[in-house]
Amino acid sequence: MLETAPRPSAITPTVDFDAKGVQHGHLRLPYSRDDSAWGSVMIPICVVANGDGPTALLTGANHGDEYEGPAALFELAQTLDPTQVKGRIIIVPALNYPAFRAGTRTSPIDRGNLNRSFPGRPDGTVTEKIADYVARQLIPFADIVLDFHSGGKTLDFLPYAAAHELPDKLQEARCFQAVAAFSAPYSMKMLEIDAVGMLDTTAEEMGKVFVTTELGGAGTASARSIDIARRGTGNLLRHAGILKGAPDVRPTRWLDMPSSDCFTFAEDDGLIAFACNLGDPVNEGDVIARVYPLGKTGIAPISYAAAIDGVLAARHVPGLIKAGDCLSVIATVTEPP
């Protein structure tokens, strides 16, 4: 049976990726709907290019309720001086634009979780079409990829930049060097619950230097978390040799997620009462939180304890929790890689 070439992407860029200077435009994705028969999703994009050098791809709002990345990247697109650039910077501040406009983790159009939809499909849903374009068009341009994340409405994290352990140890070393250059308050050797369908693994499998973040959450962004994103982006671009100037390096504390014991999941619905705060040290067996049943007084809460020694790196945000929700993440303190 003859193999057929992949169908072309439905997305049309209004920018020229080979042009010099600063361009502000859109990735236009046709989307026929009740209120606009020949309508489109218009995803903002900025390309800044000057001279020969590497290419960086910077993305935010892969999940639409995570705001540090968009805040830093919309600002960067508006303020970046092309004379300070050597190479090219592709900025997509709100990658899952429908979700970003709705303030939701997943797309209101098709309920698609963009960061579980890679490598996507050119003939799929709106979310799958965005993933396909990123995988087949944008990531191949890049030498280094920075994809911003935070906890959204349901989780809150210590502010960290992260990379993953990889089969290619030279590539892994380059990724962790980039994490160190980002210079967040914390730097993480990150373990994913499920890495299938992520932008992370798509970029890593293409051999790219990939950095991600978790810079807070709780459905908002603070002045501090936005500053970490802003400063880290500049540091990373300088580390890559794309942006001129000296990096603003700050101390970072290295953390590790060595196994699934880092994660605690609720087994009961109820009211959650945490016994420790983000960043607090915990020992194996320490109570992290108690979950109180909702239907009647006088019933003892269910206690959830740390399975390992470490620090509380992430916690559930809403006051009520459901069985299956991620309650907490414990990370261990480690040495720089």
Side-chain angles (χ1 to χ4, degrees), residues 99-276:
F100 176 68
R101 291 298 302 266
T104 55
R105 181 176 178 84
T106 62
S107 173
I109 296 172
D110 54 26
R111 310 317 307 176
N113 181 337
L114 180 57
N115 212 32
R116 301 297 184 274
S117 299
F118 285 86
R121 290 174 51 197
D123 57 351
T125 65
V126 164
T127 301
E128 289 172 332
K129 288 175 180 177
I130 296 171
D132 170 75
Y133 185 83
V134 174
R136 288 201 290 151
Q137 304 297 325
L138 295 186
I139 294 176
F141 283 138
D143 299 286
I144 188 167
V145 179
L146 169 61
D147 184 41
F148 276 106
H149 285 268
S150 63
K153 294 177 180 177
T154 63
L155 291 171
D156 196 10
F157 285 86
L158 291 177
Y160 65 74
H164 305 97
E165 292 188 3
L166 300 172
D168 184 332
K169 293 306 174 183
L170 181 59
Q171 180 190 6
E172 177 187 294
R174 293 198 300 267
C175 292
F176 281 118
Q177 288 164 7
V179 168
F182 189 98
S183 191
Y186 295 86
S187 298
M188 181 75 78
K189 299 177 183 179
M190 194 168 182
L191 174 68
E192 302 290 350
I193 297 173
D194 178 11
V196 175
M198 299 181 74
L199 190 157
D200 311 41
T201 47
T202 302
E204 289 161 353
E205 287 169 0
M206 292 186 190
K208 308 300 181 179
V209 173
F210 179 83
V211 175
T212 189
T213 70
E214 298 289 358
L215 295 181
T220 188
S222 67
R224 177 175 181 254
S225 63
I226 293 171
D227 182 66
I228 293 167
R230 178 192 298 118
R231 181 172 51 81
T233 302
N235 285 344
L236 193 64
L237 291 172
R238 292 181 178 95
H239 169 75
I242 299 172
L243 193 62
K244 298 177 183 177
D248 182 3
V249 176
R250 309 278 178 91
T252 189
R253 188 180 188 190
W254 280 90
L255 303 174
D256 191 11
M257 297 165 65
S259 74
S260 59
D261 287 339
C262 296
F263 301 95
T264 302
F265 296 93
E267 298 180 2
D268 311 271
D269 296 356
L271 169 70
I272 187 167
F274 276 91
C276 54

Side-chain angles (χ1 to χ4, degrees), residues 1-27:
M1 184 176 178
L2 294 176
E3 293 187 5
T4 58
R7 181 174 177 169
S9 173
I11 291 178
T12 301
T14 67
V15 294
D16 180 354
F17 291 104
D18 294 324
K20 304 301 181 184
V22 179
Q23 300 174 77
H24 301 285
H26 295 90
L27 303 175

